[in-house]
Amino acid sequence: MRSAVSVGSMKSCSIWLSSKPVVQIGSSFQVYCTFKCRCTGAMYSDHPRKLQRHQEFNSTTVFVNVTNITKNITYSCDCKCAPELDPCGLDISAGYLPELPQNLSCIYEVKGNQSVVVFCTWSPGRDTFLWSHSVLWVTKNHIDGPTGCNGSSKEAGLSSAGLSSAGFTASSSDAECISVQVEARNILGSVETPTYQLWDIASPSSPVLGSPRCSSRRCIIGMNQSVWTQHVEIQFTAEPHIWTSSPDQVVQTDPVQTGPVQYWSVSSLEPFTFYQFRARSRLRLWSRWSANVSGRTQEEAPAKELDVWVPEAASDFKSLRVYWKPLSVSSARGRILGYTLRVSESNFIYNVSADVSNRTVTFCEDCEVTVWAINSKGKSPPATITTPHRKVKPQEVLPPQDVHVTGAGDHSVCISWRRPDSSPLLAAYVVEWYREGNKMEDLQWVRLGRDDNHTVVTGLKPFECYEGAVHVVYNQSSVGSSRFLGVSTGSSAPSAAPSVQETVEGNQVTVTWTELPRGERRGCLTIYTIYLEMSSSQLPPVSVPAAQRKYIIRNLSPARYSLWMTASTAGGEGRAGQKVNFSIQHETRLFPLVLCAVVGPVLMVLVCLYHSSAVKQRFRVFFQCLVLDVVPDPANSKWAKDSLQGKVMMSWDDILSSVKLRAGGSKHVHPQGKMNLQLQLSNSSGTEEEEEPDLVDVEELLLPPPPSCTETELLHPQTNYIKSFSHDSDSSAHTQTSLDSTVDYISSHGPGHMEEEVEEEEEDQEPFGFFPSHNLLTEPMEFGGKLTLNAVRIDCSDFLLSEA
């Protein structure tokens, strides 16, 4: 059938379709154009215009075939006429029939005692791409006795284009006899849903919840419903999107004007937890969920003891650090206000703030350290751990064996070990780990059972180096441990080089360097490498363990050197550091020359002082008691040697007696204590003619003993003796030998050895004079007359005093 479109007299053509201008998507049809003047016409589509290949229907009409249309489109025709006329055109719309509405439901709300408000919604289906609208048809059946509904009246409910909801009001008495139906329409046609009884698709409006009133384990929530129902569901959550239903439990009902208010109890809650609540009710269908309300339960005393760990004591065993893990929210049961520590031996209490998780305490061996967490309601159960020993006891078990660390995925490692054979039956394990050199801040640990032999540690930071240990724990104390080092989940070459300092000493250089900053290590450092260059010739590099910070390069030849360093990880060697230059000089003999220049003059001064009698006298005065009593052997004296040749050796008293009795000399006592002796010396044979005797003046000074001598020396002074007694003349014929010589002083060496010792004795006199004995000081003497000094020796010290 032809559908023409009339155009004004000003158009050059007319255009029409073989169908209506609104068609379903996917349809096929023809578009025709008839021209009013003789001309060559053309057909176009869309904007801007696109020429279409048309076919001739007759001499004045052309057409095009349109197949499987998918969208709205415009066709136009044009012809060159005289006078010139306007082209003609036609818009074609494409769309779908409405789909059958789905999920029809109505919300039932009581308004007062006589009326209800019903609001229905449905799903319209797919977009039709055409103007469409829906109509809610409401059929009210009147109640006809107790048997049911009878009679009906149908009326349209609210409807509007593009909406999928409508509402109406009704009497509360007729609510059970109302049915509803939805019709969807557009230009292509209409569809209708089945008819539903309102009571079958109606649900009550969402409940309105009041603010919860909570204790530590339950909350009471007020609920207001527009329609009282027997079925209510309340849900709660402490985490987003994880809801838990609570059993229905009405604890109280208060009738109010707007509807009954019910109070529902929600139990099985955790203390000090923030909860959200929601509710819904049901007639035949469930209502929508109410708006959320929230509340927090009250606190309780912490339910669980802390996880406490004491890794090791300080190196000086004066303190140890106690660590603990903060309780989880469920275990804390409230806001933690602080911690309390008690050491059993001293019973000292430490109070720690809530933001701290470790504390240093005074060390005590094999003591119990107890830790509590505190909130507003009380303390947690006590957590007790035993402090470590100073030394490993013989009865303690072996540490874990064969500790291995392997990668276990991104930022994770697996730590495994073998159980020691001597492990106690009830022993367990603790695995600790921390960033290298950062134990105090980063210490973490996990407790494992006796039968465990591995654990997976997660959350390690990439390009960081970790270390730790596996402990055998018995009675809350570590009884053996094995350490592991150099654990990293990723590494690359260090991004920096060590900062180097050098110190040259002779033919060696001491190299020191600082540790790389943590962020520039890029993993676990394995070695440092020292490079040395001499006169543009590079020497073999030196590898140093990563733990060292100092290295000495010895036996360097004199030259100028350049030195630099690098650091390496498992990911490679880092960049070279800045070069430092130094020189090794040729060795000089300056030190021996300086030593001779300083020591030589000192020795010369000492020699000069040694030959000064005044210095020696001063020395004897101040250091007399420090000199040992060096008593020469009388057998080596000249007098003793002469006795073997017929000469006589006499004591001092014998000399005095002999002078007085035999020589006829007289003893004159000087008023000041001097004693003058006149001695007559003669040969023992008496054959020679007597000569005039030589006089010897002897002065005896009666002086008190020096205060530095001991009492024993004062009570028992040693007897001075005369080594030789001779005349000024060199002739031996004038020597007088006493018949009262003391045999004890005569050496047993015999005459053959005496002559050889004379020279030695004379050479030894000077050293003895420099170190006098105490004996001369007890009986100082002064000789006068012709008695020669080298003829008499009364101790070595007496001789020097007399000379002085």
Side-chain angles (χ1 to χ4, degrees), residues 645-723:
Q645 301 175 2
K647 299 177 183 180
V648 179
M649 182 177 187
M650 299 176 63
S651 66
W652 184 251
D653 293 336
D654 293 338
I655 294 172
L656 295 179
S657 299
S658 176
V659 169
K660 181 177 180 181
L661 297 179
R662 304 176 67 178
S666 62
K667 178 179 180 181
H668 304 279
V669 179
H670 194 276
Q672 297 181 356
K674 293 185 179 181
M675 200 168 48
N676 297 322
L677 300 180
Q678 294 181 357
L679 302 179
Q680 180 178 355
L681 303 178
S682 61
N683 292 333
S684 58
S685 60
T687 58
E688 296 183 3
E689 183 180 355
E690 289 189 4
E691 298 179 358
E692 189 70 16
D694 292 330
L695 299 179
V696 178
D697 293 333
V698 178
E699 182 178 337
E700 181 179 356
L701 299 178
L702 302 179
L703 300 176
S708 60
C709 298
T710 61
E711 184 179 356
T712 304
E713 293 170 337
L714 292 175
L715 294 177
H716 305 282
Q718 297 182 7
T719 303
N720 300 317
Y721 60 90
I722 299 175
K723 180 176 182 184

Side-chain angles (χ1 to χ4, degrees), residues 510-706:
T510 300
V511 184
T512 58
W513 59 92
T514 58
E515 189 176 21
L516 288 182
R518 188 180 304 279
E520 297 177 346
R521 299 175 196 171
R522 310 298 292 168
C524 295
L525 296 180
T526 54
I527 59 170
Y528 291 104
T529 304
I530 301 175
Y531 293 92
L532 193 63
E533 187 178 67
M534 178 183 69
S535 302
S536 301
S537 176
Q538 186 168 328
L539 301 179
V542 178
S543 297
V544 183
Q548 285 188 219
R549 297 291 177 272
K550 177 181 178 181
Y551 188 79
I552 301 177
I553 304 176
R554 307 177 189 274
N555 301 324
L556 294 176
S557 302
R560 184 166 181 80
Y561 293 87
S562 296
L563 183 147
W564 68 94
M565 288 186 65
T566 62
S568 300
T569 66
E573 184 177 15
R575 64 179 181 84
Q578 185 175 1
K579 289 186 178 182
V580 295
N581 300 316
F582 63 93
S583 298
I584 300 295
Q585 305 294 338
H586 289 277
E587 293 186 1
T588 62
R589 302 190 180 276
L590 181 61
F591 178 75
L593 295 177
V594 173
L595 183 61
C596 293
V598 173
V599 175
V602 173
L603 291 177
M604 294 177 64
V605 171
L606 292 178
V607 170
C608 293
L609 294 177
Y610 174 76
H611 287 284
S612 173
S613 60
V615 173
K616 289 191 285 186
Q617 178 65 23
R618 291 289 183 182
F619 184 86
R620 285 194 296 270
V621 172
F622 290 105
F623 301 99
Q624 55 185 336
C625 289
L626 298 179
V627 180
L628 297 177
D629 293 336
V630 181
V631 180
D633 188 356
N636 296 326
S637 67
K638 184 176 181 182
W639 195 2
K641 297 175 182 179
D642 291 342
S643 67
L644 296 179
Q645 301 175 2
K647 299 177 183 180
V648 179
M649 182 177 187
M650 299 176 63
S651 66
W652 184 251
D653 293 336
D654 293 338
I655 294 172
L656 295 179
S657 299
S658 176
V659 169
K660 181 177 180 181
L661 297 179
R662 304 176 67 178
S666 62
K667 178 179 180 181
H668 304 279
V669 179
H670 194 276
Q672 297 181 356
K674 293 185 179 181
M675 200 168 48
N676 297 322
L677 300 180
Q678 294 181 357
L679 302 179
Q680 180 178 355
L681 303 178
S682 61
N683 292 333
S684 58
S685 60
T687 58
E688 296 183 3
E689 183 180 355
E690 289 189 4
E691 298 179 358
E692 189 70 16
D694 292 330
L695 299 179
V696 178
D697 293 333
V698 178
E699 182 178 337
E700 181 179 356
L701 299 178
L702 302 179
L703 300 176

